[in-house]
Amino acid sequence: MTENSLANPKDEKLPLNKWRIFLCLSILIAIFGAGVAIRVIGSLPIPQPMNVDGQGLILDRRDIPIAQLTPEKNYIPITLEQISPVAVDALMVAADPNFLAGNYEFDALARAFWNDLRGSNKLNHLTLSQQYLRLVSGNDDLSGWRKAREAASILRIQRTLSKEEILERYINVIPFGRESFGVEAGAQAWFGVSASNLDVDQAVFLASLFLVARDRENVELAEIHVDRILFDMLAQGHITEAEFSQVQTSSLSDLIITERIANPLILSDPSFGLASAVNFAKSSILEELGERKSLTSNLLIKTTIDLDIQKIVASTVKRLREEQTGDLDVGLVILDDQGQLRSMFTTSDIHSGLIEKELPRIEVLGALDQFVTGMPKEFYWYDEYLSLVQGTEAISIFANDGQLRSKKILMEWDDGEKVTFAPRSDWLSAPSSTLVRDHQKLFELNSSGLKRPGSDSQLPQISGILSSDSNAKKEWAIGFNERYSMGVLTVSRNSGKEVNLGSCCATAVFNRIFAELNRD
């Protein structure tokens, strides 16, 4: 032993004492951090189900209400006891078959978070508690501190609610498609029955429809999930072999009702024929924001619809229908030079005429090709038939000097926190489109029925295409002036009436409405 070591016997213990101090401080910090975490977890609010009090408004371009979005029929909360037991079993097998078994599986939660950190933002790898939290929050893709907050919220849920309470809340908010949330709304939307009356076939198919809606898949893929759900239910003793065989021979198309019962739209005035317009606005906002936020927020949705023009159209069509000896259904679209929908009118029986294919593509584009070179290639990608909206878009190229904007109906929307402006309509064609002939003669291709003022310089010139389908007693006219492009479709419901282009109903609607618009 050296003289220095004898003089300083504590020097060798100094590093050890430092480590002891560091270890004690670390333990104290960890205890303090755990206390803070517990306090934070205890103070976090338990996520609540959907807000059924949300009332969205759809407005015209001058902020006049034209329809209301109400989610009451799209979200109908019920208790577990009110749900068919086989439906609960099917949904559990589809979502998280181990949820009710044993204690909370923190290893499953850890695996889910690990998959989440690896970049998978789908709900199919998450625990049921995680799925519930993301469904009610509307956040599918979380990062950074939000994942930590989600973990704290899940622990809070599991400490506060029983598994049965979590399951009940979950089943009441999961999506089923057709703008329905929760098993009761889903059962009514797809099968027209209450969740308490779901049989084995309906329960299994409803569970598969849930997986399709949750994972944002095409509804046609629902039957692919049926086999897995069936085999798992049989293996777990939820159904018998006879029930298994029964479902295997069933078809989803034979079970579902053709149209959903719930429609969240209430028109301000049904007499204005706005059903197709507000449905188009609704589908556009659903595409922008998703179903949940669109249906459960106090949205103010401003559209391009001009209620004054819509009233002119409605009153003109009403007078014309009163003059006809038979029933006449009318669909009409008006676009301005910016591609904005100013009017979309339908009588009660012709809603699909504006959306589905009605106009022969070859006939429409064949006529237009004679007057323009470089027609936008998008129109040649359509099916054999064009909708009235697409036909009106096509002819608007003449009103815009060879240019074409894609149609739009949204102007802006306000969710209470900020106002979002809809993107400007894109050009569908490059500036190379050229009008090569006098388009004022366009209407002469099929008939001279469209009005051409000519000598009256106060009225803008009108040009267009006119045609009919005598077998379907259907007539259509698409045309334009310097202000608007318009498409009209009429269908006669009088079986004894012959279609005569000389007294074409579509022409009459076309000319009268243009005359009214020209007075504006």
Side-chain angles (χ1 to χ4, degrees), residues 301-312:
I301 306 164
K302 188 173 183 178
T303 69
T304 62
I305 294 296
D306 189 323
L307 192 57
D308 290 339
I309 293 180
Q310 191 77 17
K311 290 178 180 179
I312 290 173

Side-chain angles (χ1 to χ4, degrees), residues 179 281-295 410:
E179 299 165 15
K282 184 195 71 175
S283 63
S284 298
I285 200 68
L286 290 177
E287 186 176 340
E288 292 286 344
L289 301 179
E291 287 186 347
R292 185 174 300 276
K293 186 171 183 179
S294 299
L295 297 176
L410 297 181

Side-chain angles (χ1 to χ4, degrees), residues 48-70:
Q48 297 300 312
M50 293 172 58
N51 172 27
V52 295
D53 297 326
Q55 299 288 331
L57 281 179
I58 299 179
L59 314 171
D60 87 330
R61 64 190 304 111
R62 296 183 179 87
D63 297 325
I64 301 173
I66 57 177
Q68 189 177 44
L69 280 170
T70 56

Side-chain angles (χ1 to χ4, degrees), residues 5 7 10 15 26 31 65 73 87 121 172 181 203 272 305 346 378 413 421 428-429 438 462 488 490:
S5 63
K10 296 183 179 180
S26 299
I31 293 173
K73 294 182 180 179
N121 60 0
N172 273 307
F181 298 91
F272 294 154
I305 294 296
T346 51
E378 287 84 355
W413 54 89
F421 294 93
L428 285 181
S429 62
D438 181 10
I462 301 172
V488 176
T490 62

Side-chain angles (χ1 to χ4, degrees), residues 62 306 308-309 312 483-484 514-520:
R62 296 183 179 87
D306 189 323
D308 290 339
I309 293 180
I312 290 173
R483 299 176 64 186
Y484 302 108
F514 258 131
E516 292 291 334
L517 293 178
N518 290 334
R519 294 193 184 100
D520 185 12

Side-chain angles (χ1 to χ4, degrees), residues 207-318:
S208 67
L209 288 166
F210 151 64
L211 292 178
V212 165
R214 183 195 67 180
D215 299 335
R216 299 181 178 89
E217 298 174 343
N218 192 303
V219 70
E220 296 175 355
L221 299 177
E223 298 205 36
I224 296 177
H225 297 290
V226 168
D227 285 341
R228 180 185 70 79
I229 296 172
L230 268 180
F231 279 106
D232 288 347
M233 291 184 71
L234 180 63
Q236 296 178 28
H238 297 309
I239 58 174
T240 64
E241 291 188 2
E243 290 172 327
F244 176 88
S245 301
Q246 172 190 331
V247 178
Q248 277 201 317
T249 58
S250 300
S251 171
L252 178 61
S253 59
D254 296 332
L255 294 174
I256 63 175
I257 57 178
T258 55
E259 295 184 4
R260 63 178 182 270
I261 295 176
N263 189 334
L265 286 172
I266 299 177
L267 297 177
S268 299
D269 191 332
S271 66
F272 294 154
L274 282 162
S276 287
V278 296
N279 272 294
F280 182 32
K282 184 195 71 175
S283 63
S284 298
I285 200 68
L286 290 177
E287 186 176 340
E288 292 286 344
L289 301 179
E291 287 186 347
R292 185 174 300 276
K293 186 171 183 179
S294 299
L295 297 176
T296 60
S297 302
N298 295 315
L299 286 174
L300 294 178
I301 306 164
K302 188 173 183 178
T303 69
T304 62
I305 294 296
D306 189 323
L307 192 57
D308 290 339
I309 293 180
Q310 191 77 17
K311 290 178 180 179
I312 290 173
V313 171
S315 61
T316 303
V317 170
K318 181 181 178 181

Side-chain angles (χ1 to χ4, degrees), residues 456-467:
D456 190 346
S457 60
Q458 294 182 350
L459 294 179
Q461 201 77 6
I462 301 172
S463 302
I465 306 172
L466 174 67
S467 189

Side-chain angles (χ1 to χ4, degrees), residues 368 486 505:
L368 301 185
M486 182 164 64
C505 295

